[in-house]
Amino acid sequence: MEHAAFDQGLAQQLADHLEAPCYSLSELKAESLYNAVVGEMSKPVKK
């Protein structure tokens, strides 16, 4: 993740390369973070 003020797209590029999610700081508040983790854990495991 990158802070919005310094966003150069690097976090998204890394996440894309790793086939991983990329979240903004605003998405990582307690309830949003919990929902993101639950959502990621419910996805099938890639091999």
Side-chain angles (χ1 to χ4, degrees), residues 9-27:
L10 299 176
Q12 185 63 59
Q13 287 179 17
L14 178 61
D16 292 346
H17 180 76
L18 296 173
E19 298 180 6
C22 182
Y23 298 102
S24 67
L25 288 174
S26 63
E27 294 174 300

Side-chain angles (χ1 to χ4, degrees), residues 21-43:
C22 182
Y23 298 102
S24 67
L25 288 174
S26 63
E27 294 174 300
L28 297 180
K29 293 180 181 169
E31 186 175 347
S32 298
L33 179 57
Y34 172 79
N35 290 331
V37 170
V38 169
E40 290 299 320
M41 291 179 66
S42 67
K43 290 181 179 179

